[in-house]
Amino acid sequence: MYVTMDTIELANQVLEIAREHDYKLATAESCTSGMISATLTEIPGASVSFDRGFATYSNEAKSEVLGVPAEMIKEFGAVSEEVARAMADGALAHSNADFAVSVTGIAGPGGGTQEKPVGLVHFAVSSKQYTQSHNKKIFAAMDRENVRAATVEHAMIMLIEAMTQKHFISTE
């Protein structure tokens, strides 16, 4: 697993905020397949705040484990705002978490199209107390490893924003 020390520091901040507010966290990951969970659990004491992670790489797993409607995946595609939002809601519903982050994207090197290029990732954060947030990022000109690492970093930033209700990034 490749993430930067900056991302480890962001994970530490996520867990500090969660501990401070007694929040529990969950992840629903497709293109990162557990890297967000692994990064959070690199931090000693993560079990105080990290409840569980769902690595739902296949469309079937998204439906079976998180309750994402198969019809939604068929209509919008697995890499879509709608599916990212449903994944985050599903992780929240199937855990003891107060906040759940989801990611679904195309890490490459193949699989991209003109409408959905390699590097496209949809993110969502659901919460029991705040409005759900969504971000769409295109990590262009990056290889698979770096798309996945950048996805983990951005997910940490979104969790910090959601838990503090302070926005530091654009919501394109």
Side-chain angles (χ1 to χ4, degrees), residues 44-64:
S47 61
V48 170
S49 301
F50 184 71
D51 181 53
R52 66 191 76 186
F54 300 94
T56 54
Y57 206 73
S58 71
N59 292 343
E60 293 78 16
K62 289 173 185 65
S63 294
E64 293 169 13

Side-chain angles (χ1 to χ4, degrees), residues 11-88:
N12 196 42
Q13 288 177 41
V14 165
L15 292 170
E16 284 177 8
I17 294 165
R19 275 192 299 272
E20 181 180 309
H21 297 283
D22 199 30
Y23 293 146
K24 296 288 185 194
L25 307 172
T27 64
E29 304 179 59
S30 187
C31 61
T32 52
S33 194
M35 288 175 64
I36 299 167
S37 298
T39 302
L40 287 167
T41 58
E42 278 291 309
I43 311 297
S47 61
V48 170
S49 301
F50 184 71
D51 181 53
R52 66 191 76 186
F54 300 94
T56 54
Y57 206 73
S58 71
N59 292 343
E60 293 78 16
K62 289 173 185 65
S63 294
E64 293 169 13
V65 176
L66 299 173
V68 178
E71 302 79 32
M72 178 186 288
I73 296 171
K74 186 175 182 177
E75 181 177 352
F76 299 105
V79 180
S80 64
E81 176 177 348
E82 294 81 3
V83 170
R85 287 179 180 275
M87 287 173 64

Side-chain angles (χ1 to χ4, degrees), residues 17 40 58 91 105 116 119 121-122 134 152 158 170:
I17 294 165
L40 287 167
S58 71
K116 295 183 180 185
V121 182
H122 284 274
H134 166 264
V152 173
M158 284 189 69
S170 69

